[in-house]
Amino acid sequence: MPKPQESVAGIDRARLKKAADRESRRFAASRPKTRAALEAGADAWLDSVPMHWMKDWPMPFPMVVDRAEGARITDIDGYGIDDFCLGDTGSMFGHSPEPVARAIRKQARRGLTYMLPTRAAMEAGRLLTERFGEFKWQIATTATDANRFALRVARAVTGRPKVLVFNGCYHGTVDDTMVELSNGKTRTRPGLTGQVADLTQAAACAEFNDLASVEAALKTGEIAAILTEPVMTNSCMVLPEPGFHDGLRALATKHGALLIIDETHTISSGLGGYTAVHGLDPDIFVVGKCVAGGMPTAVWGLRPQVAKDYLAFNAGRPSGHSGMGTTLSANPMQFACLQATLAEVMTAEAYAHMEKGAERLSTGLKRVIEAHGAPWHVVRVGARVEFICAPGPLRNGTEASMAHVPEVEATVHTALLNRGCLIAPFHNMMLVSPATKKRQIDRLVAAFDEILTELFPGT
């Protein structure tokens, strides 16, 4: 066995470096057209990419995609790749589901944006309530916007200044949520670009699965809302302990705060999201990414009493801009795609296929990890699966951050891609879509086994 200082996540560092260097060279050598396209056309973009997180992929340079269909991506070098990233949930139901593609073609002939509702908007509202519960809905373009608007409403109706979030949380790029715990105290996350405000004036932070820390924050009387994912997904996935969500609901009610559930990632949990599957009772509900089949769309909804309270506030506020809404949100293309997704794509049958495939993937990955004696574990939430390069289960954001092993994850990611399997770049997340086939899952498990065979020899 290697000495502790010579290993990481149970892997000898020299062996890991050898594998990482080889996989990086293999990727670069196999994609001459991609390299040429980037050299010819990427210079116009800041840091050579249209969006900075495209640099977060661990490969030497990003893939350039030619097309995607179902659960497959083809790059411009002609490689067909089994896609388990699926746009980091944006294409969770597969790339360009036919009902959505059909709705886009039809709506494109009728106009793209005109700041007025359509018949599809009326039907989409009905379907949202049928799928997610009794809320009064609004549309945004991203879940970041939806969360931002929801927080404005919460502050308006409670008259309180702060949001309570969990250490290591994911809520898009909402400024107010960019805080963390340091020695038990809330602080602005380091590394934020151009950050000038002290975010602790608008936010407090607690640990996930720690109801005592939640109640301590609520007792200050400053908390307008608790904003949480049902499952922590920003680093290594953390499941809620039994009774945690019931405790959040009870504490929010007791202390006069609103409970906001953000299902942007946990929509993978099943039909209606984690909220429906596990019987949660939020005051405000947010979901984005795949809710319109990949068309940039998010929705946020208020329980009827919260909606009534907000409308009363709105009627009495001074005239002027509310700070909520964007011109291209609630455009007719969103309505069309939202209706198509809710009616024909986000179905019980689709989720049944996804659940079955994700269980197959989870079982296969666990089997490989156990066979090689790796000190790793696997977590699944519905169609969402992650392997974590540390023992588990994890309890909170602090433990999740410590379990994150970038050098190991980057090597495994690139090695999987070289074997025809794409997983999410930000962590070890994999999704199973309605279009994902058994043979794709089995190829991913086999590739994972091949990689761990090298990293954990002699097992």
Side-chain angles (χ1 to χ4, degrees):
M1 290 291 292
K3 296 178 182 179
Q5 64 268 26
E6 295 175 348
S7 68
V8 57
I11 304 167
D12 178 79
R13 286 187 182 274
R15 184 176 296 278
L16 179 65
K17 185 178 187 306
K18 181 180 178 181
D21 291 346
R22 185 193 66 244
E23 297 298 338
S24 181
R25 290 193 302 270
R26 177 179 171 182
F27 175 87
S30 66
R31 285 172 168 79
K33 292 181 181 178
T34 297
R35 187 193 292 272
L38 291 169
E39 289 175 352
D43 189 57
W45 299 106
L46 176 65
D47 202 22
S48 300
V49 287
M51 179 61 78
H52 66 87
W53 43 248
M54 291 181 179
K55 281 288 186 84
D56 288 345
W57 293 93
M59 304 88 76
F61 47 84
M63 280 196 305
V64 177
V65 175
D66 178 54
R67 63 188 182 277
E69 183 178 0
R72 293 274 286 178
I73 282 179
T74 303
D75 70 8
I76 64 172
D77 282 282
Y79 289 101
I81 299 150
D82 295 328
D83 186 8
F84 291 89
C85 175
L86 295 169
D88 194 25
T89 310
S91 292
M92 189 182 76
F93 297 111
H95 295 287
S96 297
E98 178 51 36
V100 177
R102 186 169 61 246
I104 290 172
R105 291 191 295 269
K106 183 178 179 180
Q107 184 58 48
R109 296 191 293 267
R110 299 182 174 187
L112 301 180
T113 188
Y114 27 77
M115 292 185 70
L116 289 165
T118 61
R119 288 179 178 173
M122 307 300 111
E123 179 62 8
R126 185 189 70 79
L127 289 167
L128 283 169
T129 298
E130 180 181 279
R131 182 68 70 240
F132 298 114
E134 188 65 28
F135 296 93
K136 299 299 183 182
W137 298 101
Q138 290 279 273
I139 285 193
T141 301
T142 69
T144 292
D145 282 343
N147 281 316
R148 186 180 294 120
F149 303 155
L151 288 178
R152 282 189 173 270
V153 168
R155 288 174 169 133
V157 301
T158 64
R160 298 175 178 181
K162 290 188 176 183
V163 58
L164 178 64
V165 296
F166 292 104
N167 192 34
C169 65
Y170 173 80
H171 300 294
T173 55
V174 179
D175 284 353
D176 299 12
T177 68
M178 296 295 175
V179 292
E180 65 179 17
L181 284 178
S182 178
N183 297 318
K185 295 186 180 299
T186 304
R187 71 172 185 179
T188 301
R189 289 184 187 176
L192 295 176
T193 301
Q195 184 64 45
V196 295
D198 177 5
L199 297 180
T200 66
Q201 299 300 304
C205 198
E207 286 285 17
F208 198 72
N209 283 322
D210 185 350
L211 291 173
S213 70
V214 171
E215 184 156 32
L218 292 173
K219 282 181 176 178
T220 66
E222 297 181 314
I223 305 300
I226 303 168
L227 172 58
T228 186
E229 306 170 85
V231 174
M232 291 200 72
T233 65
N234 194 43
S235 181
C236 300
M237 196 154 60
V238 180
L239 301 178
E241 294 180 344
F244 177 66
H245 282 297
D246 288 342
L248 285 184
R249 176 66 274 173
L251 287 173
T253 301
K254 176 181 176 181
H255 293 280
L258 299 182
L259 178 60
I260 307 174
I261 296 292
D262 179 0
E263 294 255 20
T264 300
H265 282 161
T266 55
I267 190 66
S268 66
S269 301
L271 194 65
Y274 197 100
T275 295
V277 172
H278 295 275
L280 306 191
D281 183 22
D283 298 298
I284 305 178
F285 180 89
V286 174
V287 65
K289 295 214 178 187
C290 63
V291 74
M295 176 62 64
T297 305
V299 297
W300 55 286
L302 309 178
R303 289 293 190 197
Q305 184 58 52
V306 180
K308 182 179 178 181
D309 292 344
Y310 172 66
L311 291 175
F313 164 86
N314 200 44
R317 71 177 177 86
S319 61
H321 202 294
S322 67
M324 297 163 58
T326 54
T327 303
L328 295 178
S329 292
N331 66 67
M333 190 63 79
Q334 289 177 309
F335 298 141
C337 293
L338 188 59
Q339 178 185 358
T341 301
L342 294 170
E344 301 180 67
V345 178
M346 188 186 290
T347 64
E349 293 77 14
Y351 272 107
H353 177 94
M354 294 157 70
E355 284 268 355
K356 189 174 181 180
E359 179 59 27
R360 185 184 186 93
L361 175 57
S362 176
T363 299
L365 296 175
K366 288 177 183 177
R367 185 176 63 248
V368 171
I369 287 170
E370 291 170 1
H372 292 285
W376 301 4
H377 72 287
V378 176
V379 184
R380 179 171 81 87
V381 175
R384 184 186 182 98
V385 179
E386 291 184 19
F387 63 86
I388 297 172
C389 304
L394 306 175
R395 185 170 184 268
N396 55 43
T398 297
E399 291 182 5
S401 177
M402 293 174 64
H404 184 46
V405 192
E407 60 190 300
V408 174
E409 293 163 6
T411 301
V412 175
H413 286 207
T414 304
L416 285 172
L417 181 55
N418 284 336
R419 289 156 179 79
C421 306
L422 183 70
I423 68 175
F426 308 112
H427 36 70
N428 309 316
M429 190 276 291
M430 295 151 283
L431 285 164
V432 173
S433 79
T436 304
K437 305 292 193 295
K438 287 182 181 179
R439 61 179 178 272
Q440 293 178 289
I441 294 168
D442 293 345
R443 281 196 294 259
L444 174 55
V445 172
F448 188 68
D449 189 17
E450 182 180 336
I451 297 159
L452 264 64
T453 298
E454 178 179 0
L455 297 178
F456 295 91
T459 57

